[in-house]
Amino acid sequence: MKKIFIYTAGALLVIGNYSCKKFLNQVPDDRLTFEQQYQRKSTVDQALANVYSTLPDQNQDRSPSALGNSGPWTAASDEADYTLPNFTENINTGAWDATSGQVNYHWQNYYRGIQAASTFMANVTRCTDCNIGGIDIVNRYFNEARALRAIYYYHLIRQYGPVVLLGNDPIQSDAPLEVISKPRNSMDECVDYVVAELTAAAAGLPATPQANEDFGHITASVADAYKIKTLLTAARPLFNGNTDYAALRNQDGKQLISQTASAAKWTRLATAAKAFLDNPNYSSYALYSISTTPSGLPNTAFNRAFIATRDVFLNGWNSEVIFGRGGDVTLYQYSLAPNHNGASGGDKGGSFLSPSQQLVDAFFTANGLPIESDPTYTANGTSSFQAPDPNDQNAARSISNMFVNREPRFYANITYSGRKWINPQSNIITDFTNNGNAGKGAIANNDYTKTGYTSRKHLTVAGWTTGRPIFTVIRLAEIYLDYIEALQETNPSDPDILVYLNRIRTRAGIAPYGSGTGAIAVPANMREAIRRERRVELAFEWDRYFYTREWKIAETTDTQIRGLNITQNAPGFFTPIVVENRVFQKKHYLWPIPNGEIQKVPVIVQNTGW
């Protein structure tokens, strides 16, 4: 079998066996040549699946930079911490550099995916039985691979900054070193390339899934959504006139990150997002909502909002989901479920993913106000309160006032001490206090929460052993937030800011901003209000890590994790403390280019500070 090699700007990465491993598991190597794999649709399907395989697997979040091309995005942000030791600890303590294997892991994986996509595009036209029922499968598959290649570049640039663009043709094994040793492209060049490729790919793809087998494939709407994400990264302060990178130049003096802030980048983002929202071919997308609550829960507006914000992640390919991925969910869900003493099956988990007190405090009150602005909120004492949980046999119970009368998304996201467990058929009341049924005092290993909370988002109501259809990657609410952020930076008086922001808030069951009936005052600092809404709405969606960096606020936000005092019982347990101090330096805004790549290709310059 012919082997394909990729030089990541000069560094040799053998991927021939990698590219073919999916179908080689089924077809003996000595009976299928490289050319033959592209002649029949069955093996072309497998080759395309391999191109998809580089997409990050969010279900591997507990093993970052080790499995599924996932990174330490949740617990290396101020959103949460992991009790289970992993590479995230190195990120949070500053004990990593350009020689760390995990730094190379992502770089190589994405370039392998890029090469696999280019190889697929160059050969898919060989297929002799790919046009079925008049459908041009070759053209569709070509454009799926084209979009995927651009998406892999997007993942690279938001992690490493400007990278090396390899061109559209696959790199052959006999390419001379002087041809393939390339310096980094500028950030603007990288963004323009990704956007152009996604635009071209979208033109050759169906707008949305046309049949069940299309779900999980790249469509035009998915390509356009990634285009918006790319433009958002490009417009924010990290890459838009960031003078901290004045010295980041190629050896010939080429500036890699523009030193002049450009409002046009925000306008370009706003235009792309509005085009998505106005596209009649995408009119089937809508924020997920429900008309009635499930059995065992009164049918109130608050409860409907709670179920909607919970089940948008559990109800498969619903109206809000633009892109999602499947996979084995059990490891991730085990991290979410508390280690309940005496429980079994899906009711007894690992308690690994521990939300921070900062995130808990970011959720609004039931009145739609920040906790620091609502005079009815207090963190002291307890009250008799019942959360919106179906079949809560014990009804109202004494709960810390920190958790009383919060917004529906809080109850959809956070498991706290005194909360009924998520399984409607279970009678467990989770207790994270030191001697409680999920407290540290009775747990001898790492299966406890470090902050006194566990995450509830993405977890099926039957517990961690029960699967869910997909992990939602992009949904309509994110497009809304991208659009209004762009408007805020270009035209703060644009009425669409409140229109789309209030759609999110109304679905979430809290008061809209404005002057109408039931509305609350428009915040004086709308930029911060939009950022807070994003933090709450997109919690645990691999969002926060990159956005604190792209906003250039991580030096303030990412220096510690706060939580409850898990070594105490009540009332001392409910006193927030610093759980972990973290190291964040300016150089950490970007990952370093792997040292091995620079040694092999000296024309690649290192990121600032590394």
Side-chain angles (χ1 to χ4, degrees), residues 437-452:
N437 63 6
K440 184 181 186 301
I443 300 173
N445 55 18
N446 287 323
D447 294 9
Y448 61 86
T449 167
K450 291 176 72 172
T451 63

Side-chain angles (χ1 to χ4, degrees), residues 55-62 67-70 73-74 82 155 158 226 323-326 328 332 458 468 471-474 540-542:
L55 284 169
D57 182 359
Q58 285 87 340
N59 291 306
Q60 302 300 331
D61 188 65
R62 66 181 271 189
L67 295 172
N69 212 18
S70 63
W73 314 135
T74 301
Y82 260 109
H155 282 293
R158 72 172 187 165
Y226 271 105
F323 190 50
R325 299 289 290 161
D328 183 0
Y332 182 75
H458 306 292
R468 51 179 155 73
F471 199 114
T472 301
V473 177
I474 307 177
F540 306 117
E541 296 184 48
W542 284 20

Side-chain angles (χ1 to χ4, degrees), residues 473-514:
V473 177
I474 307 177
R475 56 191 179 96
L476 186 62
E478 182 179 350
I479 306 296
Y480 283 2
L481 288 162
D482 296 348
Y483 177 48
I484 61 179
E485 183 174 339
L487 291 182
Q488 176 62 30
E489 299 300 329
T490 55
N491 184 14
S493 62
D494 194 308
D496 270 2
I497 294 176
L498 288 183
V499 169
Y500 287 95
L501 183 58
N502 284 338
R503 287 184 185 180
I504 293 173
R505 290 174 63 85
T506 299
R507 192 274 297 273
I510 54 178
Y513 296 126

Side-chain angles (χ1 to χ4, degrees), residues 41 101 120 135 147 227 274 312 341 359 362 380 492 513 538 556:
K41 182 177 183 297
F120 181 91
I135 300 174
K227 179 167 65 176
K274 192 64 163 69
V312 64
N341 240 339
L359 176 61
N380 301 318
Y513 296 126
L538 301 183
T556 300

Side-chain angles (χ1 to χ4, degrees), residues 26-186:
Q26 303 178 45
V27 182
D29 186 28
D30 61 351
R31 292 191 305 215
L32 186 67
T33 67
F34 175 81
E35 289 74 16
Q36 286 172 335
Q37 72 168 291
Y38 287 101
Q39 291 177 0
R40 304 302 299 270
K41 182 177 183 297
S42 57
T43 50
V44 167
D45 283 345
Q46 294 170 43
L48 180 61
N50 184 65
V51 179
Y52 273 90
S53 70
T54 301
L55 284 169
D57 182 359
Q58 285 87 340
N59 291 306
Q60 302 300 331
D61 188 65
R62 66 181 271 189
S63 301
S65 302
L67 295 172
N69 212 18
S70 63
W73 314 135
T74 301
S77 73
D78 64 345
E79 198 166 66
D81 204 350
Y82 260 109
T83 308
L84 187 71
N86 55 44
F87 177 62
T88 306
E89 291 185 350
N90 298 74
I91 297 288
N92 293 337
T93 61
W96 62 302
D97 57 30
T99 66
S100 299
Q102 292 85 353
V103 171
N104 193 56
Y105 172 83
H106 295 283
W107 179 274
Q108 288 196 354
N109 278 352
Y110 284 124
Y111 273 113
R112 284 169 174 159
I114 288 165
Q115 173 73 350
S118 294
T119 300
F120 181 91
M121 293 163 64
N123 290 279
V124 67
T125 54
R126 298 173 184 268
C127 186
T128 58
D129 66 347
C130 278
N131 290 333
I132 301 174
I135 300 174
D136 188 353
I137 298 295
V138 167
N139 180 65
R140 176 167 179 177
Y141 281 8
F142 176 92
N143 283 293
E144 286 186 41
R146 188 176 194 175
L148 285 165
R149 183 176 65 186
I151 290 167
Y152 297 151
Y153 275 119
Y154 158 72
H155 282 293
L156 279 169
I157 63 177
R158 72 172 187 165
Q159 190 169 341
Y160 298 95
V163 295
V164 180
L165 298 176
L166 297 179
N168 293 329
D169 297 325
I171 296 174
Q172 303 300 322
S173 59
D174 57 354
L177 185 62
E178 61 270 18
V179 171
I180 55 183
S181 294
K182 298 181 179 181
R184 297 168 72 176
N185 289 83
S186 72

Side-chain angles (χ1 to χ4, degrees), residues 405 419 423 427 443 455-456 463 494 524 566:
N405 293 327
R419 180 81 183 275
N423 184 351
N427 293 324
I443 300 173
S455 171
R456 215 173 178 93
D494 194 308
I566 62 173

Side-chain angles (χ1 to χ4, degrees), residues 147-293:
L148 285 165
R149 183 176 65 186
I151 290 167
Y152 297 151
Y153 275 119
Y154 158 72
H155 282 293
L156 279 169
I157 63 177
R158 72 172 187 165
Q159 190 169 341
Y160 298 95
V163 295
V164 180
L165 298 176
L166 297 179
N168 293 329
D169 297 325
I171 296 174
Q172 303 300 322
S173 59
D174 57 354
L177 185 62
E178 61 270 18
V179 171
I180 55 183
S181 294
K182 298 181 179 181
R184 297 168 72 176
N185 289 83
S186 72
M187 186 67 181
D188 288 344
E189 288 172 340
C190 291
V191 169
D192 287 346
Y193 176 80
V194 170
V195 169
E197 286 295 288
L198 289 171
T199 300
L205 293 169
T208 57
Q210 304 299 298
N212 287 340
E213 59 266 25
D214 293 341
F215 288 107
H217 282 258
I218 303 294
T219 60
S221 59
V222 175
D224 281 342
Y226 271 105
K227 179 167 65 176
I228 293 166
K229 289 170 73 72
T230 303
L231 292 172
L232 179 66
T233 293
R236 283 176 167 161
L238 183 63
F239 296 119
N240 191 359
N242 186 356
T243 57
D244 291 339
Y245 294 134
L248 186 57
R249 299 170 179 266
N250 281 341
Q251 293 174 5
D252 63 1
K254 180 178 181 177
Q255 189 82 55
L256 294 183
I257 294 176
S258 173
Q259 295 300 287
T260 304
S262 171
K265 292 180 179 179
W266 287 109
T267 301
R268 189 182 186 189
L269 166 62
T271 300
K274 192 64 163 69
F276 185 104
L277 297 173
D278 289 345
N279 191 329
N281 294 321
Y282 303 162
S283 61
S284 59
Y285 292 120
L287 295 183
Y288 179 76
S289 62
I290 62 169
S291 57
T292 58
T293 56

